[in-house]
């Protein structure tokens, strides 16, 4: 790298130029030289309110406004820093200690260097986003200092110097400059006694040594925290990773195989000798996992601790396929860690093996249970993990294993190592060091994983904070929000500042010459109504239908015009993009947009005028679309119905007003649209949905019932689907490379192999999967004349064989791959719910550009930007669904608390030592273990070919797949997860 600098004797604001030279390899394998010029300046401010010289020379923005300075003129004082201090952390401090730095009791006035921020972004994008949130917080006062562009703080990489050493030197240079700069400023003002300290934080021993040799004030994270008032509590949050490595280095015994280097893994994957995919841990057997890779139709099976080799749920792992004679079938036996490793000492690893003798026997039994009985199924390809390409570590919620804590330690706050048992059964126990173990027992606790070394059977983490008592409504709700990474904090001021100044007093302008009316159709005379779940406040959509003189119908879907209020790339747009979707829990709603918009200004409430984006069709009485129109509009909804109210209105023969007639027309047309979709091969799948009856004042659950679907549910669904399909075609024709669409890929045939075999063996039924139409027809044929629910059960199981639908940018796939398999539609998007889905908001912007209402923002013309947005939306959408299900599961347990119910259930899976049943009455499923059927534990004989479990000994019963049983249901707090759920016993 060479550096060409202009003279610094001229104007202080004159730019100096440095050039960086990079060499990278192209796809063709050739070397490409890239030269980038860096303009070095002297007007980048320190942003301390103590400094008036920077304030006078700081550059202004396009409006002539200088950004307000961030760092306080009176930073926090401690015993070690009586004049106060500013903090400058390096990258590893942020990586290992961000949970601690986010605390409100310390870590204010922090300088985030550009060097550190850029390195941090490449190391962990989720943590990077959390750090950016801190820089936007007015309370914490985090300032991003662009040291790479300031002349005095820019450092040139020396010959033979590593990138890491150069970056460490850049951090030290910035710390040195800040100290000298503020010293000169305070001296000039005659206030040198008020000079705050500039404190560098680093856990790099060499960096700390060099800093002290250079006369800088530098501390390790633990050393700095030890001097704070709340040191005992905060020291628990210091990452244990380095301590753990130092403590283990002399043990001598290495448990797990060493992971391959990244370069070795990439070379192996490219050569086809290694395979990469997402690791999925089994929910029934903690010693088993699987990974789907493109080279094999069925998932690769991974059995045993050694072969799993520290992979955790969601990690991008690299595996090596074992020789064919070592291939196995997935186990059909329940293997639970609690049973095998109960009362294990969290602080004792000396001389441990990876796999205990109990685990080895259990794994052998699980494999033998399948292989000893069947000859029809060939073993599945089996693999071992050789490395982790990308960790999926996040913050985990759980509770302290009481047996791992020395409850007698109540004095002196002695540190001990205890187990945290995560709520997610797929996550292994996590060791944490804490001085608060006795206080944390019985609490929901949040931790972060720091490391998982070869010589530790379990990952090591650190305590973040306590959420509250186990089973308390507040703690359990926050726990599931954290588990599924739901952004639930209040909207920051910078977001709320984007709302209309009129607040709740905003209304549609009376004058149609107002700019807000530009290119909008006045549809206030139409008899529009909305149909939603009961008590819906965020009303996205409304409909109307009226007969035309030619005998056809005009049908309109009117969607809240959220894009009028949320402009691209402002703070509210960024927040909505990050949240991705509104999350609906049983007791609360976590909004994507501030309440003022979601439940008021955008919501299509009755009797008030609202901005809308309307899709209008002319339809024949047979529901054939003759013409389509897309327009911004103003509407005035006449009524807001619940599904039940709308059904009653339609059915009431005494009601014959125009609005009711329009609703009846919508219902008739919707049935014809539905039939057209079914004829085209759309799937009518099933997933159990339950409704929790709650007490009106306290929201405490009282009872559980399965949701009843009415004809009006289908009415709304059909027209929303039609609107989404119509908009998808319009935006794709306008921007064929960057339309935001949604697709549902056809499931691979292997996904249905087990269900096909089960139906053939148990009911002599055939499930055809060569097309969505064939699957739909064969699902219709899966009936038991004496048991109507049997067909629903098969549809539930078929749903679980499907792929997940996903958002994508149209330029990323060929048009044949746009197809939505479940809807049998060649193209699809989401347009109809912009209040609660960010994808719909983007579709609104693209549609507005397609009809020339407003130009398309540049961000919606970038494929790479849209790909990143779609990845986030897919993750947020999935997490929202899981959080909603977890909320229902928790409230079902609470609703049944203290009660015992006898219910009919269906056997939906048979294992070697247990079976899974589904209860239609509550829409829930549960696991019944053989060991729980009687005392002493009965014997069991598993026939995997016929899906039969024969139980003998202390209890005699025959369990068959798809059979009906009676179960006793009661509430139970799971010892493993600490969650209140339901327990099922065979009657």
């Amino acid at each position: 790298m060479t550096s060409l600098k202009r003279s610094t004797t001229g104007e202080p604001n004159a730019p100096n130029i440095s050039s960086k030279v990079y060499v990278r390899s192209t796809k063709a394998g050739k070397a490409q030289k890239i030269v980038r010029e860096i303009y070095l300046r002297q007007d980048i401010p320190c942003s301390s309110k103590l400094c008036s010289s920077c304030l006078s020379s700081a550059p202004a923005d396009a409006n002539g406004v200088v950004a307000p300075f961030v760092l306080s003129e009176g930073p926090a004082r401690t015993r070690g820093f009586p004049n106060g201090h500013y903090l400058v952390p390096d990258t590893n401090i942020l990586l290992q200690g961000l949970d601690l730095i986010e605390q409100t009791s310390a870590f204010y006035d922090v300088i985030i260097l550009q060097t550190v921020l850029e390195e941090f972004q490449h190391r962990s994008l989720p943590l990077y986003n959390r750090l950016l949130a801190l820089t936007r917080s007015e309370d914490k006062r985090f300032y991003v200092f662009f040291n790479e562009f300031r002349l005095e703080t820019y450092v040139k990489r020396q010959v033979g110097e590593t990138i890491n050493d150069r970056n460490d030197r850049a951090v030290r240079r910035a710390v040195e400059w800040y100290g000298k700069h503020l010293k000169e400023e305070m001296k000039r003002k005659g206030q040198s006694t008020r000079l705050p300290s500039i404190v560098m934080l680093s856990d790099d021993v060499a960096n700390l040594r060099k800093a002290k040799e250079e006369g800088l004030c530098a501390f390790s994270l633990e050393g700095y925290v030890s001097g704070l008032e709340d040191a005992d509590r905060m020291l628990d949050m210091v990452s244990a990773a380095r301590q753990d490595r130092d403590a283990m280095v002399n043990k001598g015994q290495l448990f797990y195989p060493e992971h391959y280097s990244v370069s070795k893994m990439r070379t192996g994957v490219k050569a086809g000798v290694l395979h990469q995919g997402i690791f999925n841990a089994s929910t029934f057997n903690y010693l088993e996992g699987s990974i789907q890779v493109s080279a094999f139709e069925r998932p690769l099976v991974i059995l045993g601790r050694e072969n799993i080799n520290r992979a955790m749920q969601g990690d991008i792992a690299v595996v090596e396929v074992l020789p064919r004679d070592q291939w196995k079938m997935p186990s059909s036996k329940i293997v639970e860690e609690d049973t095998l490793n109960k009362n294990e000492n969290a602080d004792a690893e000396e001389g441990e093996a990876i796999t205990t003798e109990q685990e080895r026997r259990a794994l052998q039994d699980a494999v033998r249970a399948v292989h000893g009985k069947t000859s029809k199924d060939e073993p599945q390809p089996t693999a071992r993990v050789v490395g982790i390409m990308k960790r999926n570590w996040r913050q985990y919620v759980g509770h302290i294993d009481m047996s791992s804590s020395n409850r007698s330690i109540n004095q002196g706050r002695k540190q001990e190592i205890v187990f945290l048992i995560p709520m997610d059964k797929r996550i292994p126990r996590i060791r944490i060091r804490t001085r608060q173990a006795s206080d944390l027992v019985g609490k929901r606790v949040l931790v972060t994983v720091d490391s998982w070394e070869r010589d530790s059977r379990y990952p090591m983490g650190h305590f973040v904070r306590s959420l509250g008592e186990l089973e308390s409504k507040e703690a359990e709700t926050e726990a599931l929000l954290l588990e599924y990474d739901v952004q639930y904090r209040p909207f920051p001021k910078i977001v709320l500042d984007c709302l209309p100044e009129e607040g709740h007093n905003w209304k549609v302008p009376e004058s149609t010459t107002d700019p807000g009316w530009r290119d909008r159709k006045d549809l206030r005379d139409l008899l529009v109504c909305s149909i939603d779940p009961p008590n819906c406040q965020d009303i996205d959509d409304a409909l109307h239908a009226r007969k035309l003189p030619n005998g056809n119908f005009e049908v309109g879907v009117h969607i809240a015009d959220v894009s009028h209020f949320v402009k691209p790339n402002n703070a509210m747009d960024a927040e909505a993009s990050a949240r991705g979707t509104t999350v609906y829990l049983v007791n609360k709603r976590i909004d994507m947009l501030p309440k003022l918009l979601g439940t008021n200004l955008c919501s299509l409430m009755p009797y008030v005028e609202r901005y809308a984006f309307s899709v209008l069709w002319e339809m024949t009485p047979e529901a054939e679309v003759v013409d389509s129109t897309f327009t911004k509009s103003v509407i005035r909804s006449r009524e807001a119905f619940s599904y039940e109210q709308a059904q009653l209105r339609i059915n009431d023969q005494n009601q014959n007003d125009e609005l009711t007639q329009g609703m009846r027309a919508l219902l008739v047309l919707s049935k014809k649209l539905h039939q057209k979709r079914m004829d085209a091969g759309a799937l009518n799948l099933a997933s159990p949905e339950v409704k929790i009856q709650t007490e009106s004042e306290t929201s405490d659950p009282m009872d559980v019932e399965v949701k009843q679907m009415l004809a009006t549910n289908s009415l709304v669904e059909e027209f929303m689907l039609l609107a989404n399909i119509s908009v998808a075609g319009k935006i794709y024709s306008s921007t064929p490379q960057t339309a935001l669409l949604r697709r549902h890929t056809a499931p691979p045939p292997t996904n249905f192999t087990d269900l096909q075999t089960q139906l053939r063996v148990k009911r002599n039924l055939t499930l055809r999967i060569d097309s969505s139409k064939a699957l739909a027809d064969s699902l219709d044929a899966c009936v038991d004349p004496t048991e109507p629910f049997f067909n629903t059960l098969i549809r539930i199981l078929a749903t679980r064989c499907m792929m997940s639908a996903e958002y994508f940018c149209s330029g990323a796939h060929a048009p044949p791959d746009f197809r939505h398999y479940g809807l049998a539609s060649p193209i699809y998007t989401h347009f109809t719910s912009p209040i609660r889905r960010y994808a719909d908001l983007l579709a609104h912007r693209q549609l507005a550009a397609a009809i020339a209402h407003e130009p398309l923002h540049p961000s919606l013309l970038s494929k790479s930007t849209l790909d990143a947005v779609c990845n986030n939306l897919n993750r947020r959408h999935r997490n929202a669904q899981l959080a909603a299900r977890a909320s229902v599961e928790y409230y079902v347990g609470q609703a049944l608390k203290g009660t015992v119910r006898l219910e009919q259930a269906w056997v939906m899976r048979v294992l070697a030592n247990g079976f899974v049943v589904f209860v239609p009455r509550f829409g829930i499923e549960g696991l019944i273990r053989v060991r729980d059927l009687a005392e002493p534990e009965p014997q069991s004989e598993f026939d995997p070919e016929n899906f039969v479990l024969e139980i003998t000994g202390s209890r005699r019963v025959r369990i068959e797949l798809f059979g009906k049983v009676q179960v006793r249901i009661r509430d139970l707090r799971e010892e493993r997860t600490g969650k209140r759920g339901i327990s099922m016993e065979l009657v």
Side-chain angles (χ1 to χ4, degrees):
M1 179 178 68
T2 60
S3 178
L4 303 173
K5 293 183 179 177
R6 295 178 182 173
S7 169
T8 62
T9 58
E11 292 293 325
N13 294 343
N16 295 264
I17 301 176
S18 176
S19 63
K20 283 186 177 181
V21 179
Y22 304 88
V23 178
R24 71 178 184 188
S25 60
T26 65
K27 290 183 177 179
K30 297 180 180 179
Q32 183 181 38
K33 183 176 180 181
I34 300 172
V35 180
R36 290 180 181 167
E37 287 188 335
I38 301 172
Y39 290 81
L40 302 177
R41 311 160 54 136
Q42 291 180 284
D43 62 344
I44 296 175
C46 68
S47 200
S48 169
K49 293 179 181 178
L50 291 167
C51 180
S52 54
S53 58
C54 277
L55 187 61
S56 63
S57 63
D61 61 17
N63 298 317
V65 178
V66 175
F69 278 22
V70 175
L71 302 174
S72 169
E73 58 189 356
R77 294 181 171 91
T78 66
R79 291 190 301 272
F81 309 110
N83 288 342
H85 63 292
Y86 296 149
L87 292 171
V88 185
D90 70 4
T91 307
N92 283 319
I93 288 292
L94 293 173
L95 283 168
Q96 302 288 355
L98 192 59
D99 299 315
L100 182 58
I101 291 169
E102 288 174 323
Q103 295 293 296
T104 57
S105 56
F107 293 92
Y108 289 83
D109 295 299
V110 179
I111 300 162
I112 303 296
L113 300 179
Q114 175 191 358
T115 305
V116 171
L117 189 66
E118 290 176 351
E119 186 177 6
F120 194 66
Q121 181 181 15
H122 294 131
R123 297 283 290 276
S124 173
L125 192 57
L127 290 180
Y128 171 76
N129 289 329
R130 285 167 59 189
L131 180 59
L132 286 186
L134 285 175
T135 65
R136 293 194 290 264
S137 168
E138 295 181 1
D139 297 330
K140 292 286 280 182
R141 302 187 297 277
F142 276 51
Y143 172 59
V144 178
F145 176 62
F146 289 89
N147 62 303
E148 297 288 357
F149 296 126
R150 174 105 195 183
L151 178 62
E152 300 91 336
T153 56
Y154 174 77
V155 299
K156 185 172 68 171
R157 186 177 173 188
Q158 298 171 348
V159 176
E161 187 177 37
T162 66
I163 290 289
N164 187 60
D165 287 345
R166 181 264 172 202
N167 288 346
D168 286 346
R169 192 158 55 87
V171 173
R172 298 196 300 275
R173 172 73 65 83
V175 171
E176 179 187 22
W177 177 81
Y178 256 96
K180 289 180 178 178
H181 174 75
L182 289 179
K183 185 176 182 179
E184 291 172 3
E185 176 67 17
M186 299 305 286
K187 185 177 180 181
R188 187 179 63 79
K189 295 165 68 173
Q191 298 178 346
S192 55
T193 56
R194 290 183 55 201
L195 179 66
S197 301
I198 310 299
V199 182
M200 186 185 93
L201 296 181
S202 176
D203 276 341
D204 186 304
V205 175
N207 199 19
L208 285 173
R209 176 178 53 78
K210 291 176 183 177
K212 289 175 181 176
E213 289 172 355
E214 295 167 10
L216 305 178
C217 181
F219 286 86
S220 68
L221 185 59
E222 185 175 5
Y224 172 75
V225 171
S226 297
L228 301 178
E229 287 186 9
D230 197 12
D232 273 355
R233 182 185 68 83
M234 298 181 77
L235 280 170
D236 277 356
M237 301 177 64
V238 174
S239 168
R242 183 174 296 277
Q243 301 175 47
D244 199 39
R245 285 194 293 273
D246 294 343
M248 295 291 185
V249 76
N250 296 319
K251 281 198 171 181
Q253 182 172 3
L254 298 177
F255 296 145
Y256 289 101
E258 185 174 3
H259 284 162
Y260 288 1
S261 67
V262 172
S263 59
K264 185 174 181 179
M265 288 190 288
R266 284 176 175 162
T267 302
V269 171
K270 191 173 183 179
V273 296
L274 301 177
H275 306 275
Q276 178 177 310
I278 296 174
F279 177 78
N280 287 299
S282 168
T283 54
F284 292 108
N285 181 352
Y286 78 101
L287 296 173
E288 179 181 310
S290 63
I291 184 168
Q292 184 76 58
V293 300
S294 57
F296 293 85
E297 284 190 348
R298 304 200 74 177
L300 302 177
V301 180
I302 305 171
L303 294 168
R305 281 190 187 271
E306 295 96 330
N307 289 336
I308 293 174
N309 194 10
R310 295 168 284 160
M312 285 174 62
Q313 174 65 28
D315 285 349
I316 299 178
V318 174
V319 298
E320 177 184 56
V321 177
L322 298 175
R324 186 176 286 270
D325 60 358
Q326 296 181 36
W327 288 8
K328 304 283 193 299
M329 287 291 291
S331 71
S332 60
K333 190 170 183 179
I334 305 161
V335 181
E336 295 172 312
E337 189 171 16
D338 303 353
T339 309
L340 296 184
N341 297 328
K342 199 168 187 177
N343 300 322
E344 189 174 8
N345 186 355
D347 203 10
E349 284 217 331
E350 193 72 45
E352 281 184 338
I354 303 177
T355 307
T356 65
E357 188 57 35
Q358 297 99 306
E359 289 176 334
R360 199 176 303 280
R361 284 200 300 268
L363 196 59
Q364 289 172 351
D365 290 345
V367 172
R368 195 180 300 120
V370 178
H371 289 271
K373 293 290 181 181
T374 179
S375 58
K376 291 182 180 179
D377 293 322
E378 290 188 6
Q380 281 184 219
T382 306
R384 69 183 185 99
V385 174
V386 297
I388 307 297
M389 194 65 78
K390 186 178 181 182
R391 284 291 189 187
N392 189 45
W393 288 347
R394 54 179 174 82
Q395 293 183 324
Y396 297 98
V397 181
H399 69 283
I400 302 298
D401 182 356
M402 188 184 303
S403 66
S404 71
S405 170
N406 183 355
R407 298 296 298 277
S408 66
I409 301 176
N410 290 316
Q411 303 296 326
R413 292 292 184 178
K414 181 179 178 182
Q415 188 182 68
E416 59 178 313
I417 298 179
V418 295
F419 279 128
L420 178 114
I421 302 178
M423 287 176 66
D424 188 341
K425 293 181 179 180
R426 301 167 300 176
I427 305 300
R429 299 176 182 186
I430 300 168
R431 279 188 168 101
I432 62 169
R433 287 189 176 92
T434 179
R435 293 166 175 80
Q436 310 172 65
S438 59
D439 295 337
L440 296 178
V441 170
K443 302 276 180 60
R444 276 274 172 242
V445 178
L446 183 67
V447 305
T448 293
V449 171
D450 299 317
S451 65
W452 195 347
E453 302 298 332
R454 292 178 61 193
D455 45 17
S456 175
R457 185 184 293 166
Y458 299 100
M460 194 75 191
H462 67 265
F463 167 78
V464 176
R465 63 187 173 94
S466 169
L467 306 181
E469 297 291 333
L470 282 171
E471 291 198 77
S472 67
K473 189 189 304 181
E474 296 75 16
E476 296 299 339
T477 298
E478 187 175 13
L480 73 86
L481 291 173
L482 288 164
E483 268 295 288
Y484 298 110
D485 193 23
V486 175
Q487 307 291 309
Y488 65 97
R489 298 298 184 192
F491 289 100
K493 182 177 180 296
I494 192 173
V495 171
L496 299 179
D497 286 345
C498 298
L499 294 169
E501 293 179 0
E502 302 91 334
H504 291 280
N505 295 322
W506 180 93
K507 59 182 180 180
V508 173
E510 292 181 7
S511 172
T512 56
T513 61
D514 186 276
W517 275 86
R518 182 181 62 84
D519 296 336
R520 287 186 185 273
K521 278 193 175 183
D522 187 348
L523 303 181
R524 291 176 293 181
D525 62 320
L526 294 178
L527 298 180
V528 172
C529 69
S530 60
I531 306 175
D532 290 286
N535 305 315
C536 180
Q537 294 177 307
D538 49 344
I539 303 174
D540 285 287
D541 55 87
L543 306 100
H544 88 275
R546 62 179 178 180
K547 198 158 190 176
L548 298 173
N550 63 1
N552 289 342
F553 289 91
E554 177 192 81
V555 177
V557 165
H558 311 277
I559 306 300
D561 188 6
V562 177
S563 61
H564 174 81
F565 297 93
V566 184
K567 299 302 181 184
N569 278 16
N570 68 9
M572 186 153 54
D573 183 56
E575 184 74 16
S577 176
R579 295 187 178 216
T581 181
T582 293
V583 180
Y584 294 90
L585 308 182
V586 170
N587 64 327
K588 67 191 303 183
R589 184 183 69 239
I590 313 298
D591 291 315
M592 182 184 81
L593 295 172
K595 195 171 183 179
L596 177 64
L597 292 186
T599 62
N600 189 347
L601 307 190
C602 292
S603 183
L604 303 182
M605 300 182 295
Y607 326 124
V608 292
E609 295 171 359
R610 286 288 180 255
Y611 285 151
F613 212 148
S614 299
V615 182
L616 305 171
W617 301 281
E618 181 182 343
M619 281 186 179
T620 69
E622 296 305 311
E624 295 288 347
V625 175
V626 176
D627 187 38
S628 302
T629 303
F630 308 91
T631 182
K632 294 263 186 164
S633 62
V634 176
I635 65 168
R636 183 175 178 272
S637 176
R638 298 304 195 268
E639 289 289 347
F641 295 107
S642 68
Y643 291 118
E644 188 174 3
Q645 289 169 339
Q647 191 69 58
L648 291 172
R649 179 79 169 250
I650 290 171
N651 294 345
D652 186 351
Q653 297 305 311
N654 295 321
Q655 296 270 11
N656 289 295
D657 55 277
E658 284 187 67
L659 178 60
T660 308
Q661 295 287 6
M663 293 166 66
R664 288 175 182 148
L666 287 170
L667 182 60
V668 171
L669 292 169
S670 71
K671 291 179 178 179
K672 293 177 179 179
L673 288 172
H674 178 78
Q675 190 57 51
K676 289 176 188 292
R677 287 198 306 109
M678 294 298 107
D679 293 344
L683 298 174
N684 183 16
L685 298 172
S687 57
E689 287 193 60
V690 299
K691 181 168 65 176
I692 311 293
Q693 298 284 357
T694 57
E695 206 276 326
S696 58
E697 292 186 7
T698 64
S699 294
D700 289 336
M702 298 169 60
D703 201 0
V704 186
E705 60 185 45
V706 177
K707 287 184 180 178
Q708 298 298 318
M709 302 302 287
L710 302 170
T712 45
N713 289 82
S714 180
L715 181 159
V716 175
E717 180 185 14
E718 290 303 327
F719 283 107
M720 296 306 116
L721 292 176
L722 182 60
N724 288 335
I725 292 168
S726 300
V727 170
K730 183 67 175 179
I731 62 175
Y732 176 61
S733 65
S734 175
T735 52
Q737 288 299 306
T738 55
L740 191 145
L741 303 175
R742 186 166 175 83
R743 68 178 190 149
H744 183 210
T745 56
T750 52
N751 282 23
F752 285 94
T753 301
D754 290 343
L755 183 56
Q756 286 176 308
T757 303
Q758 292 163 359
L759 286 169
R760 185 182 67 252
V761 171
K762 302 306 294 183
R763 296 297 178 104
N764 197 28
L765 294 169
T766 301
L767 195 65
R768 291 179 51 223
I769 55 171
D770 39 297
S771 68
S772 62
K773 175 64 173 169
L775 177 59
D777 291 342
S778 54
L779 283 174
D780 289 342
C782 289
V783 294
D784 181 337
T786 62
E787 295 290 354
F789 184 77
F790 174 73
N791 183 259
T792 303
L793 179 67
I794 300 306
R795 291 182 189 276
I796 291 171
L797 294 172
T799 301
R800 298 177 184 184
C801 300
M802 294 292 169
M803 307 294 286
S804 295
E806 61 180 8
Y807 298 107
F808 71 101
C809 172
S810 57
H813 297 280
D817 295 329
F818 293 1
R819 184 173 179 80
H820 196 294
Y821 179 83
L823 298 175
S825 176
I827 193 168
Y828 190 68
T829 193
H830 271 163
F831 165 79
T832 54
S833 297
I835 292 176
R836 61 184 179 90
R837 288 191 305 232
Y838 188 70
D840 303 54
L841 176 55
L842 295 185
H844 276 233
R845 290 174 182 163
Q846 291 186 333
L847 182 60
I851 63 173
H853 181 83
E854 60 190 15
L856 196 59
H857 191 271
S859 63
L860 290 175
L861 292 171
S862 167
K863 284 196 289 186
S864 59
T865 300
L866 277 172
D867 283 340
V869 169
C870 288
N871 288 337
N872 179 63
L873 293 180
N874 289 328
R875 183 170 64 88
R876 294 293 181 193
H877 183 77
R878 176 65 176 160
N879 285 355
Q881 289 179 319
L882 295 174
R885 290 174 194 167
S887 177
V888 169
E889 187 178 307
Y890 167 72
Y891 273 88
V892 166
Q894 293 297 313
L896 298 179
K897 196 171 183 177
T899 66
V900 178
R901 309 279 185 96
L902 292 178
E903 296 291 342
Q904 292 292 323
W906 288 75
V907 178
M908 62 190 314
R909 183 171 182 182
V910 180
L911 301 160
N913 57 343
F915 51 98
V916 180
V917 299
F918 182 84
V919 182
R921 164 78 171 79
F922 297 133
I924 55 176
E925 59 187 84
L927 173 66
I928 299 178
R929 303 167 184 83
V930 170
R931 71 166 187 256
D932 296 330
L933 294 180
E935 288 285 349
E937 181 178 339
Q939 288 83 48
S940 59
E941 185 79 14
F942 178 48
D943 180 355
E945 288 190 2
N946 294 300
F947 308 101
V948 173
L949 183 63
E950 198 75 52
I951 298 166
T952 58
S954 56
R955 180 149 185 197
R956 302 184 66 86
V957 64
R958 179 183 174 91
I959 302 298
E960 296 199 45
L961 184 66
F962 303 143
K964 281 181 70 177
V965 295
Q966 190 175 46
V967 294
R968 182 181 293 111
I969 301 175
R970 66 178 83 224
D971 70 298
L972 176 74
R973 196 178 93 178
E974 292 183 32
E975 187 178 348
R976 169 69 174 82
T977 64
K979 290 193 289 188
R980 172 76 50 184
I982 51 97
S983 166
M984 296 189 189
E985 303 169 10
L986 185 67
V987 176

